[in-house]
Amino acid sequence: MKVVIIKYNAGNIFSVDYALKRIGVEAEITGDIEKIKSADKVIFPGVGEASTTMAYLREHKLDEVICNLKQPVLGICIGMQLLCASSEEGNAKCLGVFDEKVLRFAPQDPTIKVPHMGWNTISHNGEGLFKGLPENPYVYYVHSFYATVGNDTVATTDYVHPFSASLNKGNFYAVQFHPEKSGEIGEKILKNFIEL
Amino acid sequence: MLAKRIIPCLDIKDGQTVKGTNFVNLRSAGDPVELGAEYSRLGADELVFLDITASFEKRKTFVELVKRIAQNISIPFTVGGGIHELKDVDTLLSAGADKVSVNSAVLKTPILIDEIAKNFGNQVCTVAIDAKFENGEWTCYLNGGRVPTERKLFEWAKEAQERGAGEILFTSMNHDGVKQGFANEALCTLSESLNIPVIASGGAGTMQHFEDVFKLGKADAALAASIFHFHEIGIPELKQFLRERGVVVR
């Protein structure tokens, strides 16, 4: 099986690669369009800023490539946000695979901290990425922006208000948390994706 | 609900854990990667590795170590010590660190916080503050608590937040090593005046101290070293204790 991690300008992508290695999966980190198109599984990771990352994807023609992929695709964190319709971060128009909007957390209560950083629980549908997981497991989050809840939402977390912890539409899967940093639960989620 | 975090801290010198530990069943008790993995298995929520290596040449050992930690540990980890410029941050993140902790360098050159946040995101930048309560106020110290500065804890933490810090790691020098509890009053003031997470450090001696730091100190996370290393408190027991007392933990 050929697993590709899309290389682009954003953040630490090695941690996803390391996590895959721990579950015995060798992935290739690449920005090569042909390699991405021909892979069996595509992971779209990243930490970074939405508008600059979108500009980079457009400039390198990766935006169309990603939207037209037919194999299972997993967006992680900013990768998930970029698969949504738009992001409040830098007022970016995003890839639009999912209809959700990405907004900034704006808690009325000043004791609620932003970024949402640390371990929080998810309520999930028990399917796809979440097959075989316990109810309400803890996963690791670091983010200041969130995707709204809608038709494609398959898991939610409540912080300030409920938001989409995970989205799924056809071959597109996405998680806001970091499975690569979420201990055994995270490894199980990555394994589920590889086994789709 | 967002869980309160328990964070063991490991001091590293020349690629090895410095403080002695009572862990058994480890091939090499001094190997930070094995220790980190053990803590991770026991339920630590995050790890902090501080490089206290003095010489510049030995620094490479630390970067190699960060790479091994990243490959073997499936929870987030922060590295600190010896970070002076943006290039150091880049090197450590490229090796696989999730966050960096900066202290003396940003007290001397505060704009480094802005640069780290702009280049790598706020979440990467933990600003560590060592402060001592003297003459009625909290004074910030440089160089591992050796050199006092003009800066005061609350105004400096606020400035760090405005410049783009993702978290504040506050160590009370009055409480550190004394094992009589955390600086809850100062922590509470700090936590309520900031809208980024606060990690409490210095003073952990009993499980009760952790309950207090979360309830009275309003801390988002608590960091400790020796009590975990010497098995005075086990992480699973600590979490059970906190859970029974209504503190949300993983």
Side-chain angles (χ1 to χ4, degrees), chain A residues 94-122:
Chain A
C94 298
L95 297 169
V97 167
F98 303 114
D99 298 330
E100 300 317 319
K101 284 188 185 128
V102 175
L103 306 173
R104 193 174 208 287
F105 280 121
Q108 298 294 311
D109 178 351
T111 65
I112 298 179
K113 310 289 175 84
V114 177
H116 173 217
M117 186 185 288
W119 297 81
N120 209 332
T121 50
I122 52 172

Side-chain angles (χ1 to χ4, degrees), chain B residues 40-105:
Chain B
S40 167
R41 198 184 61 74
L42 290 170
D45 297 305
E46 249 177 87
L47 296 166
V48 170
F49 295 85
L50 286 183
D51 186 22
I52 55 168
T53 302
S55 76
F56 182 72
E57 304 83 65
K58 294 275 172 63
R59 184 73 184 164
K60 277 188 232 129
T61 319
F62 187 63
V63 175
E64 280 310 306
L65 174 67
V66 169
K67 216 172 270 180
R68 280 179 55 224
I69 294 166
Q71 285 162 354
N72 290 290
I73 292 171
S74 62
I75 59 171
F77 71 99
T78 303
V79 297
I83 296 167
H84 302 291
E85 49 182 347
L86 210 52
K87 192 161 58 67
D88 300 325
V89 179
D90 193 25
T91 305
L92 293 168
L93 295 179
S94 300
D98 297 297
K99 308 179 204 175
V100 294
S101 161
V102 282
N103 192 337
S104 301

Side-chain angles (χ1 to χ4, degrees), chain A residues 11-192:
Chain A
N12 172 8
I13 51 177
F14 302 103
S15 56
V16 176
D17 186 36
Y18 292 153
L20 290 172
K21 280 201 175 75
R22 286 194 294 272
I23 59 167
V25 175
E26 285 295 328
E28 185 176 3
I29 302 174
T30 181
D32 184 292
I33 288 176
E34 288 315 311
K35 282 184 177 165
I36 295 170
K37 280 183 177 169
S38 66
D40 299 305
K41 297 273 156 56
V42 176
I43 296 179
F44 182 34
V47 282
E49 196 272 339
S51 64
T52 48
T53 308
M54 273 311 299
Y56 179 95
L57 293 179
R58 282 196 196 99
E59 193 188 321
H60 292 78
K61 309 249 182 296
L62 282 165
D63 55 337
E64 276 180 44
V65 173
I66 293 169
C67 289
N68 291 317
L69 291 172
K70 298 286 176 270
Q71 63 275 55
V73 177
L74 175 62
I76 298 174
C77 192
I78 189 85
M80 161 157 154
Q81 297 182 359
L82 295 175
L83 289 170
C84 291
S86 62
S87 173
E88 223 173 36
E89 190 177 23
N91 281 319
K93 185 177 180 300
C94 298
L95 297 169
V97 167
F98 303 114
D99 298 330
E100 300 317 319
K101 284 188 185 128
V102 175
L103 306 173
R104 193 174 208 287
F105 280 121
Q108 298 294 311
D109 178 351
T111 65
I112 298 179
K113 310 289 175 84
V114 177
H116 173 217
M117 186 185 288
W119 297 81
N120 209 332
T121 50
I122 52 172
S123 325
H124 58 81
N125 65 355
E127 294 167 23
L129 300 179
F130 306 106
K131 212 194 276 176
L133 288 185
E135 256 181 69
N136 308 120
Y138 274 100
V139 291
Y140 186 76
Y141 279 103
V142 185
H143 63 130
S144 300
F145 293 81
Y146 67 93
T148 50
V149 176
N151 290 337
D152 302 328
T153 302
V154 289
T156 57
T157 289
D158 194 349
Y159 190 72
V160 186
H161 41 65
F163 66 87
S164 285
S166 180
L167 295 164
N168 171 225
K169 187 188 218 172
N171 59 316
F172 286 93
Y173 297 80
V175 289
Q176 176 59 62
F177 53 87
H178 289 271
E180 75 279 14
K181 289 288 162 187
S182 296
E184 283 173 25
I185 294 292
E187 287 179 357
K188 175 75 181 145
I189 290 168
L190 288 173
K191 207 177 252 172
N192 280 343

